[in-house]
């Protein structure tokens, strides 16, 4: 059964058992997110339980459509609030935290394929050396993070960062070109 | 190559399940399955954050143990809530339940009496 079907069953019956099945699918991911932000295993486990309670309480109040994105937002905000309470100041949002590239796949389908390809080639060439190298190795040669780290001498974190920033910059460059064409 | 170039900006539509994720964390994946997970991580901030967090947990056995404990606690809490809701409903509308019970008892009684009458005749 898909997440969407479980959610529908929950909204139809208001039985929390459906939520139990749905939430269980996300326990591992939630534990990981809480660990990333809070760094302490015990604290992360408590935090996951608090997120469960929050989800069970909040989900009935309005109709959620994209559960995965919604629960990620709930989890991240909950962790950031905990960090703020602990340190007395808002946690700095890293690039990764702000990564919001979950655009609908295929949203650019209206672009002509040839035009798109030409722009992609140009945008890729315009990327910084490290980002270009990592994007090519990862997306075009389908190499793993570890392989890329060994080949380039970057750390794993640097590899991930170059890939993510490279993709984001590619997207920005493509959007810029699309805007220029529209004008 | 061209197709891959086009795909850089398209988000991965592969859903990575928990088993694949555990295999990735344990270093049991290679080749295409390894790339699938990392491709999804690059496209999906939720998965990427989760992997980074899970990698910081020392023992992978602990990860599974924590998940099992959290799931057990979740189901226990849901069952408790259900019971509490049922009790509250009973407290709020006891007469409705008494009336239903009374109707059932009357039906059973009527059945027994009618049956007895039929047997004696």
């Amino acid at each position: 059964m898909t997440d969407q079907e479980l959610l529908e069953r929950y909204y139809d019956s208001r039985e929390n058992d459906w939520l139990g099945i749905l939430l269980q699918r996300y326990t591992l991911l939630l534990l990981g997110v809480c660990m990333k932000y809070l760094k302490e295993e015990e604290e992360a486990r408590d935090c996951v339980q608090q997120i469960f309670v929050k989800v069970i309480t909040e989900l009935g109040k309005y109709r959620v459509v994209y559960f995965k994105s919604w629960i990620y937002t709930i989890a991240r905000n909950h962790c950031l609030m905990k960090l703020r309470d602990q340190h007395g100041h808002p946690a700095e949002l890293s690039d990764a935290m702000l990564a919001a590239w979950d655009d609908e796949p295929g949203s650019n389908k209206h672009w002509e394929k040839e035009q798109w390809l030409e722009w992609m080639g140009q945008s890729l060439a315009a990327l910084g050396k490290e980002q270009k190298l990592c994007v090519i190795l990862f997306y075009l040669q389908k190499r793993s993070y570890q392989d890329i780290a060994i080949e380039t001498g970057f750390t794993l974190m640097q590899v991930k960062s170059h890939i993510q920033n490279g993709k984001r910059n590619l997207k920005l460059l493509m959007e810029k070109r699309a805007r220029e064409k529209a004008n | 190559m061209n197709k891959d170039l086009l795909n850089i900006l398209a988000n991965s539509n592969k859903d990575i399940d928990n088993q694949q994720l555990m295999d990735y964390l344990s270093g049991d994946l290679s080749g295409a399955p390894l790339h699938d997970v990392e491709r999804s991580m690059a496209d999906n901030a939720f998965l990427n954050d989760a992997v980074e967090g899970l990698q910081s947990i020392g023992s992978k056995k602990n990860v599974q143990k924590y998940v099992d404990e959290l799931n057990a606690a979740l189901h226990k809490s849901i069952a408790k809530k259900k019971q509490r809701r049922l009790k509250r409903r009973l407290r709020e509308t006891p007469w409705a339940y008494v009336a239903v019970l009374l109707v059932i008892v009357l039906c059973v009684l009527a059945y027994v009496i009618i049956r007895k009458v039929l047997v004696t005749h």
Side-chain angles (χ1 to χ4, degrees):
Chain A
M1 206 180 287
T2 63
D3 287 1
Q4 196 57 42
E5 285 167 343
L6 284 169
L7 211 53
E8 287 301 322
R9 289 198 182 205
Y10 164 72
Y11 281 125
D12 289 345
S13 66
R14 297 282 162 174
E15 285 292 339
N16 285 342
D17 293 336
W18 297 114
L19 278 189
I21 301 170
L22 184 57
L23 281 171
Q24 197 173 316
R25 294 179 179 180
Y26 288 92
T27 311
L28 183 62
L29 290 175
L30 291 175
L31 180 66
V33 171
C34 293
M35 265 307 287
K36 176 184 163 127
Y37 290 101
L38 305 175
K39 316 285 182 206
E40 291 285 329
E41 293 180 18
E42 196 58 46
E43 209 178 337
R45 286 159 68 191
D46 288 346
C47 188
V48 174
Q49 288 192 312
Q50 289 159 10
I51 293 167
F52 282 160
V53 172
K54 198 164 187 169
V55 168
I56 292 170
T57 318
E58 296 290 316
L59 202 62
K61 293 182 185 169
Y62 36 87
R63 211 163 180 96
V64 171
V65 181
Y66 299 108
F67 184 76
K68 193 173 183 175
S69 312
W70 182 79
I71 196 173
Y72 176 48
T73 308
I74 293 273
R76 205 177 41 177
N77 288 347
H78 192 77
C79 292
L80 291 174
M81 243 164 55
K82 275 190 96 109
L83 283 177
R84 192 180 54 194
D85 291 346
Q86 280 170 8
H87 302 301
H89 58 82
E92 198 179 322
L93 294 177
S94 74
D95 226 8
M97 291 177 192
L98 289 172
W101 315 334
D102 283 341
D103 296 347
E104 284 297 302
S107 59
N108 291 310
K109 272 179 190 157
H110 59 282
W111 287 358
E112 291 292 328
K113 193 177 169 187
E114 289 306 313
Q115 180 76 83
W116 172 278
L117 266 173
E118 190 190 327
W119 287 353
M120 274 300 281
Q122 290 165 356
S123 302
L124 196 59
L127 285 182
K129 196 177 151 198
E130 290 92 353
Q131 289 179 6
K132 185 164 67 182
L133 179 62
C134 290
V135 165
I136 289 173
L137 288 174
F138 185 71
Y139 286 106
L140 304 185
Q141 298 185 13
K142 301 193 187 304
R143 308 275 288 276
S144 70
Y145 289 157
Q146 189 67 44
D147 280 354
I148 299 172
I150 291 168
E151 180 159 336
T152 57
F154 298 140
T155 63
L156 276 178
M157 284 307 284
Q158 284 174 323
V159 170
K160 283 166 86 172
S161 167
H162 287 322
I163 292 170
Q164 289 177 346
N165 292 336
K167 182 175 170 177
R168 189 187 52 208
N169 288 336
L170 265 180
K171 190 177 174 186
L172 290 174
L173 285 168
M174 295 293 281
E175 283 169 356
K176 192 176 159 206
R177 282 171 200 277
R179 271 199 307 275
E180 282 169 2
K181 195 187 179 203
N183 293 332
Chain B
M1 179 78 163
N2 277 352
K3 188 173 161 278
D4 291 331
L5 198 59
L6 282 175
N7 282 339
I8 294 179
L9 292 185
N11 285 333
S12 163
N13 55 7
K14 283 203 171 101
D15 260 338
I16 302 301
D17 64 34
N18 287 344
Q19 188 53 53
Q20 267 175 296
L21 195 50
M22 287 302 291
D23 289 345
Y24 177 77
L25 292 170
S26 312
D28 292 340
L29 294 183
S30 60
L34 174 66
H35 193 265
D36 284 347
V37 174
E38 291 184 340
R39 172 81 210 245
S40 292
M41 281 165 66
D43 292 341
N44 182 334
F46 191 4
L47 182 64
N48 188 57
D49 279 0
V51 171
E52 284 182 12
L54 292 168
Q55 280 171 333
S56 67
I57 296 180
S59 159
K60 296 298 157 264
K61 273 185 189 162
N62 277 353
V63 174
Q64 194 53 57
K65 194 181 119 211
Y66 294 158
V67 168
D68 292 343
E69 285 171 1
L70 284 165
N71 284 340
L74 168 67
H75 288 292
K76 206 170 156 185
S77 129
I78 286 174
K80 240 183 196 173
K81 265 194 183 149
K82 202 173 178 179
Q83 237 176 359
R84 266 208 306 269
R85 209 167 56 182
L86 195 72
K87 275 184 188 167
R88 198 176 56 226
R89 211 181 290 167
L90 265 172
R91 266 202 312 273
E92 281 169 1
T93 51
W95 288 112
Y97 292 96
V98 171
V100 170
L101 200 71
L102 206 67
V103 169
I104 293 170
V105 169
L106 284 174
C107 287
V108 172
L109 269 176
Y111 173 77
V112 171
I113 291 167
I114 291 168
R115 205 178 148 80
K116 263 194 176 173
V117 170
L118 285 175
V119 168
T120 44
H121 287 283

